[in-house]
Coordinates of all heavy atoms in Angstrom, one line a residue:
M17 N -73.2 39.2 5.4 CA -74.5 39.3 6.1 C -74.1 39.3 7.8 O -73.3 38.6 8.1 CB -75.4 38.0 5.9 CG -75.8 38.2 4.5 SD -76.9 36.7 4.0 CE -77.2 35.6 5.3
T18 N -74.7 40.3 8.4 CA -74.3 40.4 9.8 C -75.2 39.5 10.6 O -76.4 39.1 10.2 CB -74.6 41.7 10.2 OG1 -75.9 42.2 10.0 CG2 -73.7 42.8 9.5
G19 N -74.6 39.0 11.7 CA -75.3 38.1 12.6 C -75.7 36.7 12.1 O -76.6 36.0 12.6
T20 N -74.9 36.3 11.2 CA -75.1 35.0 10.6 C -74.1 34.0 10.8 O -74.0 33.0 10.0 CB -75.6 35.0 9.1 OG1 -74.5 35.6 8.4 CG2 -76.9 35.7 8.9
D21 N -73.1 34.3 11.6 CA -72.0 33.2 12.0 C -71.2 32.7 10.8 O -71.2 31.5 10.6 CB -72.6 32.2 12.9 CG -71.6 31.3 13.5 OD1 -70.5 31.9 13.8 OD2 -71.8 30.2 13.7
G22 N -70.7 33.6 10.0 CA -69.8 33.0 8.8 C -70.6 32.6 7.7 O -70.1 32.0 6.7
L23 N -71.8 32.9 7.5 CA -72.8 32.6 6.4 C -72.7 33.7 5.4 O -72.7 34.9 5.7 CB -74.2 32.4 6.9 CG -75.1 31.7 6.0 CD1 -74.7 30.2 5.8 CD2 -76.5 31.6 6.6
Y24 N -72.6 33.3 4.1 CA -72.5 34.3 3.0 C -73.7 33.9 2.0 O -74.2 32.9 2.0 CB -71.1 34.2 2.3 CG -70.1 34.6 3.2 CD1 -69.3 33.7 4.0 CD2 -69.7 36.0 3.4 CE1 -68.4 34.0 4.8 CE2 -68.6 36.4 4.2 CZ -68.0 35.3 5.0 OH -66.9 35.7 5.7
E25 N -73.9 34.9 1.0 CA -75.0 34.7 0.2 C -74.5 35.0 -1.2 O -73.9 36.1 -1.5 CB -76.1 35.8 0.6 CG -77.3 35.6 -0.2 CD -78.3 36.6 0.2 OE1 -78.2 37.7 -0.1 OE2 -79.5 36.2 0.8
I26 N -74.8 34.1 -2.1 CA -74.4 34.2 -3.5 C -75.6 34.6 -4.3 O -76.6 33.9 -4.1 CB -73.8 32.9 -4.1 CG1 -72.5 32.5 -3.5 CG2 -73.6 33.0 -5.6 CD1 -72.0 31.1 -3.8
R27 N -75.5 35.6 -5.1 CA -76.7 36.0 -5.8 C -76.5 35.6 -7.3 O -75.5 36.0 -7.9 CB -76.8 37.5 -5.8 CG -77.9 38.2 -6.4 CD -77.9 39.7 -6.2 NE -79.0 40.4 -6.9 CZ -78.9 41.0 -8.0 NH1 -77.8 40.9 -8.7 NH2 -79.9 41.6 -8.5
V28 N -77.6 35.1 -7.9 CA -77.6 34.6 -9.3 C -78.7 35.2 -9.9 O -79.8 35.1 -9.5 CB -77.5 33.1 -9.4 CG1 -77.6 32.7 -10.9 CG2 -76.4 32.5 -8.7
K29 N -78.6 35.9 -11.1 CA -79.7 36.5 -11.8 C -79.8 35.7 -13.1 O -78.9 35.7 -13.9 CB -79.5 38.0 -12.1 CG -80.7 38.6 -12.7 CD -80.5 40.1 -12.7 CE -81.7 40.7 -13.3 NZ -81.6 42.2 -13.5
Q30 N -81.1 35.2 -13.3 CA -81.4 34.6 -14.7 C -82.6 35.2 -15.3 O -83.8 35.1 -14.7 CB -81.7 33.1 -14.4 CG -82.2 32.2 -15.6 CD -81.2 32.3 -16.6 OE1 -79.9 32.1 -16.5 NE2 -81.6 32.3 -17.9
G31 N -82.4 36.0 -16.2 CA -83.5 36.8 -16.8 C -84.0 37.8 -15.8 O -83.3 38.5 -15.2
S32 N -85.3 37.8 -15.4 CA -85.8 38.6 -14.4 C -85.9 38.0 -13.0 O -86.3 38.7 -12.1 CB -87.2 39.2 -14.9 OG -88.1 38.1 -15.0
D33 N -85.5 36.8 -12.9 CA -85.5 36.0 -11.7 C -84.2 36.2 -10.9 O -83.2 36.2 -11.5 CB -85.8 34.5 -11.8 CG -87.1 34.3 -12.5 OD1 -88.1 35.1 -12.2 OD2 -87.3 33.3 -13.2
I34 N -84.3 36.3 -9.6 CA -83.1 36.3 -8.7 C -83.1 35.2 -7.8 O -84.2 35.0 -7.2 CB -83.0 37.7 -8.1 CG1 -83.0 38.8 -9.0 CG2 -81.8 37.7 -7.1 CD1 -83.0 40.1 -8.2
F35 N -82.0 34.5 -7.8 CA -81.8 33.4 -6.8 C -80.7 33.6 -5.9 O -79.7 34.3 -6.1 CB -81.5 32.1 -7.6 CG -82.6 31.7 -8.7 CD1 -82.6 32.2 -10.0 CD2 -83.6 30.9 -8.3 CE1 -83.5 31.8 -10.8 CE2 -84.6 30.5 -9.2 CZ -84.6 31.0 -10.4
R36 N -80.8 33.1 -4.7 CA -79.8 33.3 -3.5 C -79.5 31.9 -3.2 O -80.3 31.0 -3.0 CB -80.4 34.1 -2.4 CG -81.0 35.4 -2.7 CD -80.0 36.4 -3.2 NE -80.6 37.5 -3.7 CZ -80.2 38.7 -3.4 NH1 -79.2 39.0 -2.6 NH2 -80.7 39.9 -3.9
I37 N -78.1 31.7 -3.0 CA -77.6 30.5 -2.5 C -76.6 30.8 -1.2 O -75.8 31.7 -1.3 CB -76.7 29.8 -3.5 CG1 -77.5 29.6 -4.8 CG2 -76.1 28.4 -3.0 CD1 -76.7 29.3 -6.0
F38 N -77.1 30.2 -0.1 CA -76.3 30.4 1.1 C -75.0 29.5 1.1 O -75.0 28.3 0.6 CB -77.0 30.2 2.3 CG -78.0 31.2 2.6 CD1 -79.5 31.0 2.6 CD2 -77.6 32.5 3.0 CE1 -80.4 32.0 2.9 CE2 -78.6 33.5 3.2 CZ -79.9 33.3 3.2
C39 N -73.8 30.0 1.6 CA -72.6 29.2 1.6 C -71.8 29.6 2.8 O -72.0 30.7 3.4 CB -72.0 29.4 0.3 SG -71.3 31.1 0.0
F40 N -70.8 28.8 3.1 CA -69.8 29.1 4.1 C -68.5 28.6 3.8 O -68.4 27.7 2.9 CB -70.4 28.6 5.6 CG -70.7 27.2 5.5 CD1 -69.9 26.2 5.9 CD2 -72.0 26.8 5.1 CE1 -70.2 24.9 5.9 CE2 -72.4 25.4 5.3 CZ -71.4 24.5 5.6
F41 N -67.4 28.9 4.4 CA -66.1 28.4 4.1 C -65.7 27.4 5.1 O -66.1 27.5 6.3 CB -65.1 29.6 4.2 CG -65.2 30.6 3.0 CD1 -66.0 31.7 3.2 CD2 -64.5 30.4 1.8 CE1 -66.1 32.7 2.1 CE2 -64.7 31.3 0.9 CZ -65.5 32.4 1.0
D42 N -65.0 26.4 4.6 CA -64.6 25.4 5.5 C -63.0 25.5 5.5 O -62.3 25.3 4.5 CB -64.8 24.0 4.9 CG -64.3 22.9 5.7 OD1 -63.8 23.0 6.8 OD2 -64.5 21.6 5.3
E43 N -62.5 26.1 6.6 CA -61.1 26.3 6.8 C -60.5 27.4 5.9 O -59.4 27.2 5.5 CB -60.3 25.1 7.0 CG -60.7 24.1 8.1 CD -59.9 22.8 8.1 OE1 -58.8 22.7 7.6 OE2 -60.3 22.0 8.9
G44 N -61.4 28.2 5.2 CA -60.9 29.2 4.4 C -60.5 28.7 2.9 O -60.2 29.5 2.2
K45 N -60.7 27.5 2.7 CA -60.2 26.9 1.4 C -61.4 26.3 0.5 O -61.3 26.3 -0.6 CB -59.1 25.8 1.6 CG -57.9 26.5 2.2 CD -56.8 25.3 2.4 CE -55.6 25.9 3.2 NZ -54.7 24.9 3.4
L46 N -62.3 25.9 1.2 CA -63.5 25.2 0.6 C -64.8 25.9 0.8 O -65.1 26.3 1.9 CB -63.5 23.7 1.1 CG -64.8 23.0 0.5 CD1 -64.6 22.6 -0.9 CD2 -64.8 21.7 1.3
I47 N -65.5 26.3 -0.3 CA -66.8 26.9 -0.2 C -67.8 25.8 -0.2 O -67.9 24.9 -1.2 CB -67.0 27.9 -1.3 CG1 -66.0 29.0 -1.3 CG2 -68.5 28.5 -1.2 CD1 -66.0 29.9 -2.4
V48 N -68.7 25.7 0.8 CA -69.7 24.8 1.0 C -71.1 25.4 0.7 O -71.3 26.4 1.3 CB -69.8 24.1 2.5 CG1 -70.8 23.1 2.4 CG2 -68.4 23.4 2.8
L49 N -71.8 25.0 -0.3 CA -73.1 25.6 -0.6 C -74.2 24.9 0.2 O -74.2 23.7 0.3 CB -73.3 25.3 -2.1 CG -72.4 25.9 -3.1 CD1 -72.8 25.7 -4.6 CD2 -72.2 27.4 -2.9
A50 N -74.9 25.6 0.9 CA -75.9 25.1 1.9 C -77.2 25.0 1.3 O -77.7 23.8 1.1 CB -75.9 26.0 3.1
N51 N -78.0 26.0 1.0 CA -79.3 25.9 0.4 C -79.6 27.1 -0.5 O -79.0 28.2 -0.3 CB -80.5 25.8 1.4 CG -80.5 26.9 2.5 OD1 -79.4 27.4 2.9 ND2 -81.7 27.6 2.6
G52 N -80.5 27.0 -1.3 CA -80.8 28.2 -2.2 C -82.4 28.3 -2.4 O -83.0 27.5 -2.1
F53 N -82.7 29.4 -2.8 CA -84.1 29.8 -2.9 C -84.3 31.0 -3.9 O -83.2 31.7 -4.2 CB -84.7 30.2 -1.7 CG -84.2 31.3 -1.0 CD1 -84.8 32.7 -1.1 CD2 -83.0 31.4 -0.3 CE1 -84.3 33.7 -0.6 CE2 -82.4 32.4 0.4 CZ -83.1 33.6 0.2
Q54 N -85.5 31.1 -4.4 CA -85.7 32.2 -5.4 C -86.2 33.4 -4.5 O -87.2 33.2 -3.8 CB -86.9 31.9 -6.3 CG -87.0 33.0 -7.4 CD -88.0 32.6 -8.4 OE1 -88.6 31.6 -8.5 NE2 -88.3 33.5 -9.4
K55 N -85.5 34.5 -4.7 CA -85.9 35.7 -3.8 C -87.1 36.5 -4.5 O -86.8 37.0 -5.7 CB -84.7 36.6 -3.6 CG -84.9 37.7 -2.5 CD -83.6 38.1 -2.0 CE -83.9 39.2 -1.0 NZ -82.6 39.8 -0.5
K56 N -88.1 36.8 -3.9 CA -89.2 37.4 -4.5 C -89.5 38.8 -3.8 O -90.3 39.6 -4.3 CB -90.4 36.6 -4.4 CG -90.2 35.3 -5.1 CD -91.6 34.5 -5.3 CE -91.3 33.2 -5.9 NZ -92.5 32.2 -5.9
T57 N -88.8 39.0 -2.6 CA -89.0 40.2 -1.9 C -87.7 40.8 -1.6 O -86.7 40.2 -1.7 CB -89.7 39.9 -0.6 OG1 -89.1 39.2 0.3 CG2 -91.2 39.3 -0.8
Q58 N -87.7 42.0 -1.1 CA -86.5 42.7 -0.7 C -85.7 42.0 0.5 O -84.5 41.9 0.5 CB -86.7 44.2 -0.3 CG -86.9 45.0 -1.5 CD -85.7 45.3 -2.3 OE1 -84.7 44.5 -2.4 NE2 -85.6 46.5 -2.8
K59 N -86.6 41.6 1.4 CA -86.0 41.0 2.7 C -85.8 39.4 2.6 O -86.7 38.7 2.0 CB -86.9 41.3 3.8 CG -86.3 40.9 5.1 CD -87.1 41.6 6.3 CE -86.4 41.2 7.5 NZ -86.6 42.1 8.6
T60 N -84.6 39.0 3.0 CA -84.3 37.4 3.0 C -85.2 36.9 4.0 O -85.1 37.2 5.2 CB -82.9 37.2 3.2 OG1 -82.1 38.0 2.2 CG2 -82.6 35.8 3.2
P61 N -86.0 35.8 3.6 CA -86.9 35.1 4.6 C -86.0 34.5 5.8 O -85.0 33.8 5.6 CB -87.5 33.9 3.9 CG -87.4 34.4 2.4 CD -86.2 35.2 2.3
K62 N -86.4 34.8 7.1 CA -85.7 34.3 8.3 C -85.6 32.8 8.2 O -84.7 32.3 8.6 CB -86.4 34.7 9.5 CG -85.6 34.5 10.8 CD -86.2 35.1 12.0 CE -85.3 34.9 13.2 NZ -85.8 35.7 14.3
S63 N -86.6 32.1 7.7 CA -86.6 30.7 7.7 C -85.6 30.1 6.7 O -84.9 29.0 7.0 CB -88.0 30.1 7.2 OG -88.2 30.5 5.8
E64 N -85.2 30.7 5.6 CA -84.1 30.3 4.9 C -82.8 30.5 5.5 O -81.8 29.7 5.4 CB -84.1 31.1 3.4 CG -85.3 30.9 2.6 CD -85.4 29.4 2.1 OE1 -84.4 28.7 2.1 OE2 -86.5 29.0 1.8
I65 N -82.6 31.7 6.3 CA -81.3 31.8 6.9 C -81.2 30.7 8.0 O -80.1 30.2 8.2 CB -81.3 33.2 7.6 CG1 -81.3 34.3 6.5 CG2 -80.1 33.5 8.6 CD1 -81.5 35.7 7.0
E66 N -82.2 30.5 8.8 CA -82.2 29.4 9.8 C -81.9 28.0 9.2 O -81.1 27.2 9.8 CB -83.5 29.4 10.5 CG -83.8 30.6 11.4 CD -85.1 30.7 12.1 OE1 -86.0 30.0 11.6 OE2 -85.4 31.7 12.9
K67 N -82.4 27.8 8.1 CA -82.2 26.6 7.4 C -80.7 26.4 7.1 O -80.0 25.5 7.3 CB -83.0 26.4 6.1 CG -83.0 25.0 5.5 CD -83.5 25.0 4.1 CE -85.0 25.3 4.2 NZ -85.7 25.2 2.8
A68 N -80.0 27.5 6.5 CA -78.7 27.5 6.2 C -77.8 27.4 7.4 O -76.8 26.7 7.4 CB -78.4 28.8 5.5
L69 N -78.2 28.0 8.6 CA -77.4 27.9 9.7 C -77.4 26.4 10.2 O -76.4 25.9 10.8 CB -77.9 29.0 10.7 CG -77.5 30.3 10.4 CD1 -78.2 31.3 11.4 CD2 -76.0 30.5 10.5
K70 N -78.6 25.8 10.1 CA -78.8 24.6 10.6 C -77.8 23.5 9.7 O -77.2 22.6 10.3 CB -80.2 24.0 10.5 CG -80.4 22.6 10.9 CD -81.8 22.2 10.8 CE -82.0 20.7 11.2 NZ -83.3 20.2 10.8
I71 N -77.8 23.7 8.5 CA -77.0 22.9 7.6 C -75.5 23.1 7.9 O -74.7 22.2 8.0 CB -77.3 23.3 6.1 CG1 -78.6 22.7 5.7 CG2 -76.2 22.5 5.2 CD1 -79.2 23.3 4.3
K72 N -75.2 24.4 8.2 CA -73.7 24.7 8.5 C -73.4 23.9 9.8 O -72.3 23.4 9.9 CB -73.6 26.2 8.6 CG -72.2 26.6 9.0 CD -72.1 28.2 9.0 CE -70.8 28.7 9.3 NZ -70.3 28.6 10.7
K73 N -74.2 24.1 10.9 CA -74.0 23.4 12.1 C -73.8 21.8 11.9 O -72.8 21.3 12.5 CB -75.1 23.8 13.2 CG -74.8 23.1 14.5 CD -76.0 23.6 15.3 CE -75.9 23.0 16.7 NZ -77.0 23.4 17.6
E74 N -74.7 21.4 11.2 CA -74.7 19.8 11.0 C -73.3 19.4 10.2 O -72.7 18.5 10.6 CB -75.9 19.4 10.2 CG -77.2 19.4 11.0 CD -78.3 19.1 10.2 OE1 -78.2 18.8 9.0 OE2 -79.5 19.1 10.8
Y75 N -72.9 20.3 9.3 CA -71.7 20.0 8.5 C -70.5 20.1 9.4 O -69.6 19.2 9.4 CB -71.5 21.1 7.5 CG -70.2 21.0 6.7 CD1 -70.1 20.1 5.6 CD2 -69.3 21.7 7.1 CE1 -68.9 20.0 4.8 CE2 -68.0 21.6 6.4 CZ -67.9 20.7 5.3 OH -66.7 20.6 4.7
E76 N -70.4 21.1 10.4 CA -69.4 21.3 11.3 C -69.2 20.2 12.3 O -68.2 19.7 12.7 CB -69.3 22.6 11.8 CG -69.0 23.7 10.8 CD -69.4 25.1 11.4 OE1 -70.0 25.2 12.4 OE2 -68.9 26.0 10.7
Q77 N -70.4 19.6 12.8 CA -70.5 18.7 13.7 C -70.0 17.2 13.1 O -69.4 16.4 13.8 CB -71.9 18.5 14.3 CG -72.3 19.5 15.2 CD -73.7 19.4 15.7 OE1 -74.5 18.8 15.1 NE2 -74.0 20.2 16.8
E78 N -70.3 17.0 11.9 CA -70.0 15.7 11.2 C -68.5 15.7 10.7 O -68.0 14.7 10.4 CB -71.0 15.4 10.1 CG -72.3 15.1 10.5 CD -73.2 14.8 9.4 OE1 -72.9 14.5 8.3 OE2 -74.5 15.0 9.6
K79 N -67.9 16.8 10.7 CA -66.5 16.9 10.3 C -65.5 16.2 11.1 O -65.6 16.1 12.3 CB -66.1 18.4 10.0 CG -65.6 18.6 8.8 CD -65.2 20.0 8.7 CE -63.7 20.1 8.9 NZ -63.2 21.4 8.8

């Protein structure tokens, strides 16, 4: 994803439902799962991206 400062998206399909989980790498070895949601439209909600970026920032500050 462009413009999201190292944030990635994992896509999971269960039946006809699609779920997205935001994640990021910690020093390239550990994948940290941030937040997930059920995607109902083509466009990813900006609020979900902002929530994931906030979790990533808090994680990096507490490290």
